[in-house]
Amino acid sequence: MKERFLVTGGARLAGEVRVDGAKNSVLKLMAASLLAEGTTTLRNCPQILDVPLMRDVLVGLGCEVEIEGDVVRIHTPAVVSPHADFDAVRQFRASVAVLGPLVARCTEAYVALPGGDAIGSRPLDMHQSGLEKLGATTHIEHGAVVARAAKLTGASIKLDFPSVGATENIVTAAVLADGRTVLDNAAREPEIVDLCSMLNAMGARIEGAGTSQITVDGVDALSPTEHTVVGDRIVAGTWAYAAAMTQGDITVTGAAPGHLHLALSKLKLAGADVETYDNGFRVRMDQRPRAVDYQTLPYPGFPTDLQPMAIALSTVADGVSVITENVFEARFRFVDEMLRLGADATVDGHHVMLRGVDTLSSTDVWSSDIRAGAGLVLAGLVAEGETTVHGVHHIDRGYPAFVEQLNALGAHVERI
C-alpha cells in the first residue's frame, strides 16, 4: 500500500525534539561489524527503514542481527559469505559499504550495484581504484562489483574527490592490510570520524579522521566492540530549518552544533536567533526570513543533504537567493515539485535562483529522495491549505517518527 502525508499549512513549530543516531553513520558501522568475529553492539541507532534493510544484507552474508529499539546487535560468524544478495543490496546506496570489509575479511567480494535515492550519478570508480591500490583486482560483472585480493598491502592513495563512500571502503579494507595506508583528500564528515572511532575501539590503528589525510596501520585482526552512534546532523539541520521557515522556536538535542556550523550560520544571516549548547541548539525566528545564498560542498561546507531545506526556506524568504549544487547533479529535480507549490524558481545548470513569495499554495507533490521528501513536508507547513506528499517511503528511510515529532511540535500532519 502506498502511503502519503497530508500536511496542513499554517502551523508554527515550537518545542523540543531529540535527534537519534545518524543514518549516514549507523549503516556503515553495521557493515564494519563484518571485520570482527563475535558480537558488535550499536546503541543510539535510529529507528528508520534503512536499518532493517542493512540487517537483511548482513543476514545474507551469514550474520545474525537483533534490533531492539535503538540497540542493534550483530553476531558475525568466523566464516562470512562474500556474496551480497542482489535483492537486499539494490534497495539502498549505503549497502555498498560492505565492499571494503568483505575484501579485507574474505579476500573477495561480490556486491550488487546498489540502488537508493535519485539524486544523480554516484559511480564506484574511486572505490574500485582505492581497492586496486591496496592490491585487489576489481571489475563489474552481471550487475555486481567483484573484488578479489589474496593479500592487501598498504599504499598511498589520493582521491580525486573527497568521497564519503570511497573513504569508508578504503579505510575498512586497509585496517586489515599489511603495512601503512595513507589516504589523501579523504572525506572529513563527522560520520567518517564515528566509523574510525569504532574501528579503533575494535583494535584498528587509524589517525587523522576528520582531516583530509587519514593514516591506517594495518593489524592482523579486530575484535567486536560496543559503540554509540553519533547524532544525526542532517535530521538536526532539518529541524533547524523547519523552525526558521515556520517562524517558530525549536530546541534540538542529541546532535553536536559544531557539525552544523555553516548551516546554523546561514540561519543567523536569514534573521534567526541561534543558541548552541554542548549537545544541541535552539533556533528561534520571529520574522519572515531574509534571502541568503547557499553553495553545497563536502564537509565542512554546506551539506548537500540540507539543500532541499535551504531551497524550501528560500522560496518564502524576503528577497532573491541563489543556490549552487556542487555535489549531486540531479538534486534540483526537487525544484520541479516546489514549482507545483507556487515557488518562483529558475534553474540554470547547477544553480537555481529563487525569488521569495509571501506564501506557497497547496497541491500534490512527489518525493524523489529522502531529503527532498522532508523538504516538501516543510514546504507544506508554510503553504495555504492541505498539501499531499507522495513517496513517503523515502522519508521513512531517514527520519524516525517524523509525523509524530512534527505533530508534537504543533504541526498537523497525517499519514494516509
Side-chain angles (χ1 to χ4, degrees):
M1 181 179 296
K2 293 188 176 182
E3 296 182 324
R4 57 198 185 277
F5 292 165
L6 186 63
V7 184
T8 301
R12 176 182 184 269
L13 301 190
E16 182 175 317
V17 61
R18 184 188 178 280
V19 171
D20 296 321
K23 165 193 176 295
N24 290 336
S25 188
V26 66
L27 305 176
K28 319 305 176 62
L29 299 174
M30 292 175 70
S33 70
L34 292 166
L35 290 163
E37 179 185 355
T39 301
T40 295
T41 301
L42 302 176
R43 305 188 185 279
N44 194 38
C45 299
Q47 297 180 53
I48 55 175
L49 183 59
D50 274 11
V51 169
L53 288 177
M54 182 59 89
R55 173 194 59 196
D56 294 345
V57 172
L58 296 181
V59 168
L61 296 172
C63 301
E64 296 180 11
V65 183
E66 303 169 12
I67 301 175
E68 298 179 5
D70 70 344
V71 177
V72 175
R73 294 182 180 86
I74 302 152
H75 309 280
T76 302
V79 178
V80 174
S81 168
H83 295 265
D85 177 70
F86 175 80
D87 287 336
V89 168
R90 69 180 177 85
Q91 298 184 68
F92 65 123
R93 176 71 186 185
S95 57
V96 77
V98 302
L99 180 61
L102 287 179
V103 175
R105 184 86 192 280
C106 306
T107 72
E108 60 181 344
Y110 303 80
V111 181
L113 294 174
D117 294 330
I119 57 178
S121 175
R122 295 192 282 184
L124 299 181
D125 296 6
M126 285 186 285
H127 302 243
Q128 293 177 253
S129 175
L131 293 177
E132 289 168 2
K133 290 283 182 64
L134 294 173
T137 61
T138 74
H139 64 278
I140 304 297
E141 178 182 295
H142 303 303
V145 57
V146 180
R148 296 186 179 92
K151 179 180 179 181
L152 293 175
T153 304
S156 293
I157 303 170
K158 185 173 183 178
L159 296 178
D160 294 334
F161 178 85
S163 162
V164 172
T167 298
E168 290 162 342
N169 268 323
I170 292 168
V171 168
T172 51
V175 291
L176 294 181
D178 286 344
R180 171 170 289 188
T181 297
V182 178
L183 179 60
D184 282 308
N185 202 25
R188 300 166 57 187
E189 275 74 0
E191 294 79 19
I192 296 290
V193 177
D194 200 34
L195 172 63
C196 292
S197 175
M198 188 182 94
L199 290 171
N200 281 338
M202 296 170 71
R205 297 171 59 194
I206 304 170
E207 295 181 353
T211 74
S212 59
Q213 185 181 85
I214 296 177
T215 301
V216 183
D217 287 308
V219 297
D220 292 334
L222 298 179
S223 302
T225 190
E226 293 193 9
H227 182 80
T228 299
V229 184
V230 68
D232 197 316
R233 61 192 172 97
I234 304 302
V235 173
T238 301
W239 293 121
Y241 277 73
M245 284 184 65
T246 63
Q247 297 181 36
D249 184 353
I250 298 179
T251 297
V252 179
T253 62
H259 294 166
L260 285 163
H261 174 73
L262 186 53
L264 295 177
S265 296
K266 292 290 186 180
L267 289 182
K268 290 180 182 179
L269 291 175
D273 181 17
V274 179
E275 300 177 48
T276 59
Y277 315 108
D278 289 342
N279 194 38
F281 54 85
R282 178 184 180 185
V283 175
R284 183 173 67 251
M285 179 72 87
D286 297 324
Q287 59 191 351
R288 183 182 179 186
R290 295 189 295 268
V292 177
D293 293 340
Y294 298 84
Q295 181 176 198
T296 68
L297 289 167
Y299 189 85
F302 190 86
T304 184
D305 280 355
L306 285 181
Q307 183 244 77
M309 276 49 86
I311 289 178
L313 176 66
S314 299
T315 61
V316 293
D318 183 11
V320 177
S321 302
V322 176
I323 297 177
T324 303
E325 174 57 51
N326 293 307
V327 181
F328 292 127
E329 72 278 3
R331 200 140 224 175
F332 279 158
R333 68 173 57 189
F334 171 74
V335 176
D336 293 337
E337 300 307 305
M338 293 301 299
L339 291 172
R340 295 177 186 271
L341 292 166
D344 184 348
T346 303
V347 176
D348 181 9
H350 63 122
H351 308 281
V352 58
M353 183 171 68
L354 299 129
R355 300 173 182 85
V357 298
D358 291 334
T359 187
L360 300 173
S361 57
S362 59
T363 188
D364 284 42
V365 290
W366 280 261
S367 306
S368 57
D369 65 81
I370 297 170
R371 311 307 171 185
L376 290 172
V377 171
L378 298 194
L381 294 175
V382 294
E384 291 181 343
E386 294 181 334
T387 297
T388 302
V389 180
H390 298 266
V392 301
H393 63 283
H394 289 296
I395 303 173
D396 292 336
R397 289 181 47 224
Y399 290 84
F402 196 44
V403 170
E404 293 80 2
Q405 290 183 320
L406 282 164
N407 290 338
L409 292 170
H412 185 76
V413 181
E414 185 179 0
R415 181 188 291 267
I416 300 174

